[in-house]
């Protein structure tokens, strides 16, 4: 089954590039490379554009909350930033990772034409994510003592803990939001995600203004708004899936409980992979809390992380798009199309990262104005802008390769690379530069950039050495195992056209 696209490619030149099984033929000229570049660019952004827009809207909810609370004072800015970047990111990373197995399975099932399995996989993921929440609840309930134990100042820890405690209902909404998002992404039904995300962002902004400035509820009001917006988004996506996606959602099924432990194992691998990535930059905020003048240090770094987050959300959209492309093409048995789409996406992402770095350096003296009125914070952010720019370039490639890993189902290997690069090399180096060498925030961040650079280098090497024919076989085997007996008839068709990839 083809991925539905808005652009209809046609013409003799296009068909000359495509083999009988729908995969690309070997490229023989520069003109053919340009044609494939155009084809893959259109396919990527028709999927990735709406996904990126939706994720940017979701991140806008976080970022606008920080901006509203930041104008209440420096302590409020630091408290909400810590609550979202430490507690919230910790939890979201775990939940997103537990749901990312769905990205692998739904994408490959859709590519192989097993659309009826999407609903079963989605329900299975909802069950797993719901019970995963109870593992995270203690972090929210005891957020204040946990943050104090990690070295945060008393005032920041207390306010951040209250915000986290009040936002527990939003955590439960993720058990619906994440699986339904993956369900729709696998089928490239991404326009509705963009629309729901935009409406949620507008609703969130309006409610923040009401609860903070009209009702004078401060950051407690911001936490309540967080819950309202989270559940509004979850309900809207779930209703769309149940009412308008009859092919993929055929009703509740006890089949969702079958092979649940095998699903959990893949989910855990995904969770570990993504959590090690997301928690890495979160940990710099924790380490910064031990520096002198922690309010300015944490505040300036939090603003930089928010700015970096906007670019990161764009690339998470590209991550999701390339994951859909890889899983669909592997499900269809097209190794060469998978390979070309990956390389072209990495190239484009790197260009975007360089442009983002140039923009940040050009406006470095004005980056913090949206978040604070403090001249000290604005100056501190400007001093960190060069590190932010380097981080943006590195973060442009890494999420794409992670998306390939999710689409191909090799999350475990990436988890080991992340563990070594980030936690064995990057954080210790950052601690030495920040505290032993007395370089402060610059040292902490510089060491962690080195870890990010090492991870990107290793992932690039793995990607270069990837055997896409073997990935097609593994995709077919995974679907045979979890897709039911009716997949056997299609297995031969999926594995047949895999020979001869250069």
């Amino acid at each position: 089954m083809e991925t539905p696209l808005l652009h209809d490619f046609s013409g003799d030149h296009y068909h000359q590039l495509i083999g009988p099984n729908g995969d690309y033929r070997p490229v023989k000229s520069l003109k053919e490379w340009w044609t494939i570049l155009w084809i893959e660019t259109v396919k990527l952004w028709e999927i990735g554009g709406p996904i990126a827009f939706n994720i940017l809207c979701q991140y806008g909810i976080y970022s606008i909350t920080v901006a509203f609370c930041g104008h209440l004072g420096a302590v409020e800015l630091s408290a909400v930033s810590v609550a979202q970047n430490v507690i919230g990111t910790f939890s979201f990373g775990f939940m997103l990772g537990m749901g990312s197995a769905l990205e692998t399975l739904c994408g490959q099932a859709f590519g192989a034409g097993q659309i009826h399995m999407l609903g079963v996989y989605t329900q299975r993921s909802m069950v797993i994510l719901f019970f995963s929440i109870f593992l995270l609840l203690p972090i929210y309930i005891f957020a204040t003592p946990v943050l104090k134990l990690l070295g945060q100042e008393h005032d920041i820890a207390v306010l951040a803990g209250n915000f986290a405690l009040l936002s527990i209902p939003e955590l439960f909404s993720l058990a619906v939001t994440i699986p339904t998002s993956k369900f729709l992404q696998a089928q490239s039904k991404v326009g509705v995600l963009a629309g729901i995300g935009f409406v949620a962002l507008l609703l969130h902004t309006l409610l923040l203004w009401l609860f903070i400035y009209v009702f004078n509820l401060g950051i407690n009001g911001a936490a309540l708004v967080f819950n309202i917006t989270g559940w509004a988004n979850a309900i809207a996506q779930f209703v769309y899936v149940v009412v308008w996606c009859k092919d993929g959602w055929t009703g509740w099924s006890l089949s969702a409980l079958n092979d649940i432990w095998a699903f959990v194992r893949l989910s855990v691998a995904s969770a570990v992979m993504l959590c090690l990535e997301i928690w890495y930059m979160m940990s710099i905020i924790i380490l910064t809390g031990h520096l002198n003048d922690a309010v300015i240090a944490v505040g300036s770094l939090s603003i930089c992380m928010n700015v970096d987050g906007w670019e990161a959300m764009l690339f998470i959209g590209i991550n999701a798009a390339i994951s859909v492309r890889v899983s669909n093409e592997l499900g269809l048995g097209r190794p060469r199309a998978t390979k070309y789409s990956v390389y072209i996406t990495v190239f484009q992402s790197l260009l975007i990262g360089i442009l983002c770095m140039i923009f940040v350096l050009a406006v470095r003296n004005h980056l913090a104005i949206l978040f604070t009125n403090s001249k000290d914070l604005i100056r501190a952010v400007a001093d960190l802008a060069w590190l932010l720019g380097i981080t943006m370039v590195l973060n442009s490639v890494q999420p794409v390769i992670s998306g390939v890993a999710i689409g191909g189902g090799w999350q475990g290997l990436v988890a080991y690379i992340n563990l070594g690069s980030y936690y064995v090399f990057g954080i210790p180096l950052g601690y030495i530069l920040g505290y032993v060498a007395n370089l402060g925030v610059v040292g902490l961040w510089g060491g962690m950039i080195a870890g990010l650079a090492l991870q990107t280098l290793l992932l690039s090497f793995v990607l270069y050495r990837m055997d896409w024919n073997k990935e097609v076989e593994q995709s077919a085997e995974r679907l045979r195992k979890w897709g039911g007996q009716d997949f056997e008839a299609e297995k031969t068709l999926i594995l047949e056209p895999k020979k001869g990839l250069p």
Side-chain angles (χ1 to χ4, degrees):
M1 174 164 298
E2 292 284 359
T3 301
L5 295 170
L6 299 176
H7 187 88
D8 180 27
F9 294 104
S10 60
D12 293 338
H13 186 61
Y14 169 71
H15 291 294
Q16 290 173 3
L17 294 174
I18 305 299
N21 65 318
D23 199 4
Y24 289 117
R25 301 180 189 275
V27 179
K28 299 179 180 179
S29 67
L30 182 61
K31 183 178 180 180
E32 290 180 343
W33 269 117
W34 277 111
T35 302
I36 291 176
L37 174 64
W38 168 246
I39 293 170
E40 289 301 325
T41 298
V42 172
K43 288 183 176 181
L44 173 71
W45 288 104
E46 283 184 353
I47 301 171
I51 295 176
F53 181 78
N54 171 254
I55 294 175
L56 286 170
C57 288
Q58 291 180 6
Y59 185 73
I61 290 173
Y62 291 85
S63 191
I64 288 174
T65 303
V66 174
F68 268 88
C69 294
H71 287 282
L72 295 174
V75 174
E76 287 82 357
L77 169 66
S78 296
V80 175
S81 296
V82 167
Q84 293 196 346
N85 290 319
V86 178
I87 304 298
T89 300
F90 182 96
S91 302
F92 181 77
F94 181 77
M95 294 290 285
L96 183 64
M98 291 298 289
S100 291
L102 191 63
E103 206 164 317
T104 302
L105 297 173
C106 279
Q108 293 180 1
F110 181 78
Q114 300 288 301
I115 301 178
H116 66 282
M117 289 303 299
L118 269 62
V120 175
Y121 288 150
T122 300
Q123 293 169 37
R124 196 173 299 170
S125 183
M126 286 180 179
V127 172
I128 293 171
L129 263 63
F130 178 77
F131 284 102
S132 298
I133 290 171
F134 291 94
L135 299 176
L136 299 172
L137 281 180
I139 301 172
Y140 280 71
I141 295 172
F142 302 105
T144 296
V146 167
L147 290 172
K148 287 182 179 180
L149 183 64
L150 293 173
Q152 294 299 315
E153 283 194 348
H154 174 79
D155 292 343
I156 295 176
V158 170
L159 281 177
N162 290 338
F163 185 94
L165 192 62
L166 289 172
S167 62
I168 287 176
E170 190 271 341
L171 176 64
F172 279 88
S173 72
L174 297 178
V176 178
T177 303
I178 292 174
T180 52
S181 295
K182 304 302 181 186
F183 174 93
L184 294 170
Q185 287 174 17
Q187 304 170 77
S188 300
K189 295 180 178 180
V190 290
V192 65
L193 289 176
I196 292 174
F198 182 64
V199 172
L201 178 61
L202 294 179
L203 174 65
H204 189 76
T205 304
L206 175 61
L207 292 179
L208 277 177
W209 175 76
L210 286 173
F211 278 62
I212 293 178
Y213 294 114
V214 178
F215 301 151
N216 294 317
L217 295 178
I219 66 171
N220 290 337
L224 296 176
V225 171
F226 215 55
N227 297 330
I228 295 171
T229 306
W231 272 105
N233 191 44
I235 292 171
Q237 289 184 189
F238 181 75
V239 169
Y240 183 85
V241 166
V242 172
V243 176
W244 284 281
C245 299
K246 297 296 186 180
D247 290 340
W249 185 277
T250 57
W252 296 99
S253 172
L254 290 177
S255 299
L257 301 179
N258 297 339
D259 298 317
I260 198 163
W261 291 115
F263 198 93
V264 167
R265 286 194 294 271
L266 184 58
S267 295
V268 169
S270 301
V272 171
M273 184 196 81
L274 288 179
C275 286
L276 290 176
E277 294 174 4
I278 294 175
W279 296 345
Y280 183 56
M281 294 310 294
M282 173 204 74
S283 63
I284 190 175
I285 295 178
I286 296 175
L287 293 173
T288 304
H290 295 270
L291 296 173
N292 295 327
D293 198 5
V295 172
I296 294 296
V298 172
S300 60
L301 190 60
S302 296
I303 291 172
C304 287
M305 291 298 101
N306 265 282
V307 174
D308 179 62
W310 283 101
E311 187 218 37
M313 294 306 108
L314 170 64
F315 284 109
I316 287 178
I318 298 176
N319 168 297
I322 190 59
S323 177
V324 170
R325 290 283 296 122
V326 167
S327 58
N328 285 174
E329 295 295 350
L330 289 178
L332 286 163
R334 299 173 179 174
R336 194 176 289 111
T338 308
K339 177 181 178 180
Y340 291 169
S341 66
V342 169
Y343 287 176
I344 290 171
T345 302
V346 169
F347 172 72
Q348 292 188 19
S349 297
L350 180 61
L351 290 181
I352 294 172
I354 293 172
L355 291 175
C356 288
M357 178 184 69
I358 294 172
F359 175 78
V360 163
L361 294 177
V363 301
R364 61 186 179 276
N365 294 319
H366 309 285
L367 276 177
I369 291 176
L370 290 176
F371 298 92
T372 181
N373 298 321
S374 169
K375 292 183 179 180
D376 291 335
L377 277 174
I378 293 173
R379 189 179 306 110
V381 170
D383 292 338
L384 294 174
W386 65 278
L387 287 171
L388 176 59
I390 296 173
T391 302
M392 283 182 154
V393 172
L394 292 174
N395 279 341
S396 66
V397 175
Q398 178 270 335
V400 176
I401 302 177
S402 295
V404 176
I406 293 171
W410 36 283
Q411 294 94 323
L413 174 62
V414 180
Y416 283 116
I417 291 176
N418 289 351
L419 181 64
S421 301
Y422 291 162
Y423 299 92
V424 176
F425 177 69
I427 290 180
L429 179 60
Y431 182 86
I432 292 172
L433 294 176
Y435 287 96
V436 179
N438 293 319
L439 295 178
V441 176
V442 173
L444 287 171
W445 200 348
M448 299 181 81
I449 285 176
L452 183 60
L454 176 61
Q455 182 242 26
T456 302
L457 180 64
L458 292 175
L459 285 179
S460 299
F461 178 76
V462 170
L463 190 63
Y464 174 74
R465 299 284 297 176
M466 185 57 55
D467 184 345
W468 296 108
N469 290 324
K470 184 178 179 180
E471 293 301 312
V472 168
E473 294 178 0
Q474 291 179 349
S475 169
E477 177 62 24
R478 189 179 294 115
L479 285 171
R480 184 201 63 77
K481 180 179 179 181
W482 289 338
Q485 297 298 321
D486 57 339
F487 178 73
E488 290 292 337
E490 297 187 41
K491 180 181 176 184
T492 304
L493 293 177
I494 292 175
L495 292 176
E496 180 71 23
K498 65 182 178 60
K499 299 177 182 179
L501 178 65

